[in-house]
């Protein structure tokens, strides 16, 4: 699994952090998503997919 982020689409909603805090964070200054682990372990796949699905801006892409 690989995660791609489009920072230009991110609206700083923070739903990704709530769904997968081990993989996503937000910048303090503007709330834009920060990818903590671009290739997380397979055990985190359900949380990462949930984060991508919940993103209101569709800024997260999961490539399996």
């Amino acid at each position: 699994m690989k995660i791609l982020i489009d920072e230009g689409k991110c609206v700083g909603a923070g739903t990704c952090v709530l769904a997968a805090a081990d993989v996503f964070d937000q910048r303090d200054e503007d709330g834009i998503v920060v990818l903590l682990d671009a290739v997380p372990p397979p055990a985190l796949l359900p949380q990462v997919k949930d984060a991508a699905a919940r993103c209101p801006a569709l800024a997260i892409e999961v490539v399996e």
Side-chain angles (χ1 to χ4, degrees):
M1 160 181 42
K2 182 178 178 180
I3 303 167
L4 305 173
I5 300 291
D6 186 339
E7 289 184 8
K9 287 184 179 179
C10 181
V11 296
T15 55
C16 56
V17 178
L18 295 174
D22 291 335
V23 180
F24 304 102
D25 199 355
Q26 290 177 277
R27 295 191 303 223
D28 289 334
E29 61 272 11
D30 57 7
I32 299 299
V33 65
V34 174
L35 187 58
L36 300 175
D37 188 351
V39 186
L44 293 178
L45 180 60
Q47 292 95 328
V48 171
K49 283 187 168 185
D50 184 44
R54 292 175 183 261
C55 178
L58 303 174
I60 302 169
E61 181 182 351
V62 180
V63 180
E64 294 186 63

